[in-house]
Amino acid sequence: MYRVMLIDDEQSARKLMRASINWESFDMEVVGEAENGIEAINVIDDMRPDIAFVDISMPFMNGIEFTELATKRYPHLVIIILTALDEFEYARQCIRLPVFEYMLKPIIRSEVTEVLHRAKKALDETVHPVQEPTREIEPTAIGQIEKYLRENYVDSRINLTSVAQMFGFSSSYLSRKFKQETGKSFVEFLTECRMERAIELAATGAKMFCTAGEVGIPDPNYFGRCFKKYTGVSYSEYVNGRGKTDGK
């Protein structure tokens, strides 16, 4: 599964991007966000994104400066620059940089969808060539993959693509067979492993940022959303509820 990072100083823009796209349908997941280039550079080694949506105009470090640094470190990183119409000439400075696409803000879902289709195709061909498997996935192989995820979910670099390569299957084939055999998508199963451990740590009163790192989701904001979606309550509400129960 390809990893996506959203880098924009407008929280509303990041929320819209998260909510308006069915990322899983592209074999993608949003693994982190940043408000500016400096914050993004500081966490990029943990996030290890395959795709980054980058606002060109941000405080402290703009999108051009981020792109220069990030693509030196990760030459296969797909950079999609977001720019307002009156900044488009400014965006032309990126022409000398390996930018995959420029998109005008505010974003239009159909345009983002079209760009993501092309980005996925480019990544499939250059980074993770898709090959149909040298063998059929047996139920025992799915069981081995489940065991691997339960034992290694703390590794934030784990995703559908890396596991598929490790076990010798294409990511699209593994995704389909995993759902057939388990009734859950790969992401759902991995998230379940992480959230069950997170619940155990929350019961001890552990701080959220500590728990996030312990379960393989180093971005506390993303972890918080995953936890609330899984449990129905926020992390702090869960911890405070534990305290009230213990005080009885």
Side-chain angles (χ1 to χ4, degrees):
M1 182 161 285
Y2 292 116
R3 301 165 68 83
V4 179
M5 193 170 181
L6 307 178
I7 307 167
D8 195 314
D9 61 332
E10 297 180 15
Q11 185 181 31
S12 59
R14 301 197 307 272
K15 283 185 175 180
L16 177 61
M17 184 72 79
R18 272 189 181 273
S20 62
I21 303 298
N22 182 357
W23 298 99
E24 193 169 335
S25 70
F26 292 97
D27 193 21
M28 297 176 186
E29 62 177 329
V30 177
V31 296
E33 299 180 7
E35 295 183 353
N36 57 66
I38 290 178
E39 181 182 345
I41 284 294
N42 286 336
V43 300
I44 195 169
D45 288 336
D46 291 327
M47 299 293 104
R48 300 187 69 82
D50 299 294
I51 300 172
F53 284 85
V54 185
D55 184 22
I56 199 168
S57 180
M58 299 181 290
F60 308 117
M61 179 187 288
N62 63 38
I64 295 174
E65 294 167 324
F66 167 81
T67 299
E68 288 178 322
L69 291 174
T71 53
K72 285 179 182 177
R73 195 178 301 181
Y74 298 101
H76 293 295
L77 177 62
V78 172
I79 298 284
I80 299 169
I81 293 290
L82 306 176
T83 177
L85 183 60
D86 60 357
E87 298 169 337
F88 198 74
E89 287 303 316
Y90 180 41
R92 290 184 185 275
Q93 295 180 44
C94 292
I95 289 176
R96 60 190 169 82
L97 299 172
V99 173
F100 183 80
E101 185 59 274
Y102 302 87
M103 300 193 69
L104 288 177
K105 298 175 72 174
I107 64 166
I108 298 174
R109 183 168 59 180
S110 61
E111 294 179 357
V112 176
T113 297
E114 189 273 332
V115 169
L116 288 176
H117 276 298
R118 290 193 288 110
K120 183 180 186 305
K121 182 179 179 182
L123 286 167
D124 285 344
E125 294 175 351
T126 61
V127 182
H128 305 301
V130 175
Q131 300 174 348
E132 284 305 310
T134 55
R135 61 193 179 92
E136 185 79 10
I137 295 184
E138 300 292 339
T140 53
I142 296 297
Q144 291 171 355
I145 292 171
E146 288 181 293
K147 182 175 184 292
Y148 175 81
L149 293 178
R150 290 191 186 99
E151 294 175 350
N152 295 277
Y153 62 83
V154 296
D155 185 350
S156 63
R157 296 169 296 181
I158 283 182
N159 56 46
L160 176 63
T161 302
S162 66
V163 173
Q165 288 183 326
M166 179 179 297
F167 284 85
F169 305 112
S170 72
S171 57
S172 59
Y173 185 72
L174 175 58
S175 176
R176 185 168 66 253
K177 295 297 288 185
F178 194 93
K179 178 81 170 182
Q180 288 176 359
E181 295 292 337
T182 68
K184 301 172 185 175
S185 71
F186 179 92
V187 172
E188 288 172 339
F189 185 85
L190 178 58
T191 300
E192 182 179 286
C193 292
R194 288 170 167 167
M195 292 303 103
E196 287 302 312
R197 176 56 178 159
I199 288 171
E200 293 176 357
L201 293 171
T204 70
K207 298 292 185 182
M208 187 174 80
F209 74 91
C210 293
T211 297
E214 284 287 328
V215 300
I217 306 178
D219 179 358
N221 292 325
Y222 179 55
F223 167 82
R225 286 189 289 272
C226 290
F227 189 90
K228 186 167 185 177
K229 182 177 180 181
Y230 189 77
T231 64
V233 297
S234 70
Y235 188 85
S236 61
E237 288 172 333
Y238 193 95
V239 170
N240 290 335
R242 176 198 64 85
K244 292 176 181 178
T245 300
D246 290 349
K248 287 183 178 179

